Amino acid sequence: MSDKVEIDPVLDTVPCGYICFDRNGQIIEVNSTLLVWTNRNRQELIGANIMQLLPKAGQIFFQAQVLPQIELSGELEECYFKILHANNDRIPVLGNFRRQHQDSNIYDLILLRIPKRYLLEDALVKAKKVAERAMQELQESNRTLSRFAGMVAHDLKAPIRHMKSLAEFIVEDYDRLLDENGRDFLQKLQNNALRATHFVDKLLEYGSLNSHSQLEAIDLNRVVSTASENLSDSLAEISARLEIDDLPQVWGFETQLVQLFQNMIGNAIKYRDRDRPLTIQIYAVPSTPTEWTVWICDNGIGIAPENCDRVFKMLEKLHGGEYEGAGIGLATCKWIIQNHQGTIGIKSKLDHGSSFYFTLKSEMF
């Protein structure tokens, strides 16, 4: 056993744990505070190895990091680890190690219990790591889904195009041989081929969204201008009016944001009220110091409030076959906003138009 060390009466009662041990980890002395913390008695610890006070992970850390460090330099400050209560509960502490004097193989260890604030900080750090890992998994899942949608759509397009060509060939060369029912069936075949082609095009559009684009400062005025120019023929055909406020600069992926506004404006065109000219209003308001909420409002047919949560679901079509569409456009919008770490929603009422809103960051995320 190592040399006997008499503990100072003052040190015995200070609100800090104290352990005196030798280079092999054998405990020479402890103070009463440590005994109270761990619910142990002095006879149990004196002569035991300090490893008995540490959980398995702590033992490995102590052997690999602490002992070599204090033997080399003679001290180690604010070392975080946990000691074991008699009932095996973990007690988080900060330890300060110091060699008693230059040629000594005996070390003093002063332990400070970590307040709850430090535990919360530790929990926040762990939560952040979990969130970052979840974000990475979500981004990888989105990339996989995009690749899958693109591959499926590409493989479907060739046979659908072939089916459409065969239907056109039959109409051109064999129409006179068909009765009214035959011509009706053939027309339905052509219409279905056209709808299938449109659906596949939308899948390809969804699969081509580039999640690897460069994050940059984006002028939303330029984005909306590009999106509206892409739809200029459709807007002109129905004499639609766009009312666009001066829009802010946000951080994002320009290609995706153009697609977002194009889908939103296209949705307003599709679900317009035929009895009144279409008006689309686009404006933005600051929702937090680092975030804008963008609104796209129309005077179209609207939807029932109870169906608002369904509009962003993939392949969801609330109006059945009454309106053309693949049920992908608004799902794509939701994907884009999630990729920009924002939120998206809608406020609507039947026959009173729809107001879509989504958030975008004004600072890099």
Side-chain angles (χ1 to χ4, degrees), residues 131-276:
E132 289 173 348
R133 185 163 58 250
M135 179 60 68
Q136 291 173 352
E137 291 174 355
L138 176 61
Q139 290 173 345
E140 180 58 32
S141 175
N142 284 336
R143 286 192 289 268
T144 301
L145 180 59
S146 294
R147 289 194 296 268
F148 175 76
M151 287 187 296
V152 170
H154 185 271
D155 290 344
L156 283 174
K157 198 163 188 177
I160 292 174
R161 189 189 302 115
H162 185 58
M163 179 178 68
K164 181 172 174 288
S165 298
L166 285 176
E168 291 172 351
F169 174 76
I170 294 172
V171 168
E172 290 175 2
D173 290 20
Y174 296 95
D175 181 70
R176 65 186 181 280
L177 302 178
L178 300 173
D179 60 13
E180 186 176 346
N181 283 337
R183 283 190 289 271
D184 183 55
F185 290 148
L186 197 57
Q187 185 62 51
K188 288 179 179 178
L189 176 62
Q190 286 184 299
N191 290 340
N192 283 328
L194 286 172
R195 281 197 292 270
T197 301
H198 176 71
F199 176 79
V200 169
D201 287 340
K202 287 298 180 181
L203 267 181
L204 282 170
E205 181 182 283
Y206 183 85
S208 66
L209 287 173
N210 185 8
S211 58
H212 300 287
S213 300
Q214 180 65 42
L215 182 70
E216 57 185 338
I218 305 293
D219 181 0
L220 283 186
N221 295 291
R222 183 176 73 244
V223 167
V224 173
S225 175
T226 302
S228 57
E229 285 175 9
N230 292 342
L231 295 170
S232 57
D233 290 343
S234 298
L235 290 166
E237 184 180 343
I238 60 174
S239 301
R241 186 169 77 250
L242 281 179
E243 298 177 355
I244 306 170
D245 285 2
D246 186 39
L247 299 172
Q249 177 177 280
V250 299
W251 280 87
F253 307 102
E254 184 164 6
T255 302
Q256 293 182 18
L257 291 179
V258 170
Q259 189 68 59
L260 169 71
F261 280 93
Q262 190 168 309
N263 285 8
M264 287 286 187
I265 296 171
N267 189 77
I269 293 173
K270 183 188 302 179
Y271 297 108
R272 67 188 183 277
D273 189 322
R274 266 62 173 184
D275 295 329
R276 55 177 176 256

Side-chain angles (χ1 to χ4, degrees), residues 293-307:
T293 297
V294 180
W295 289 84
I296 301 180
C297 308
D298 63 61
N299 61 342
I301 61 174
I303 63 172
E306 61 269 21
N307 290 327

Side-chain angles (χ1 to χ4, degrees), residues 39-52:
N39 193 30
R40 300 173 188 271
N41 58 65
R42 186 171 266 101
Q43 290 72 27
E44 179 184 356
L45 293 181
I46 301 302
N49 196 285
I50 196 170
M51 298 297 177
Q52 293 180 220

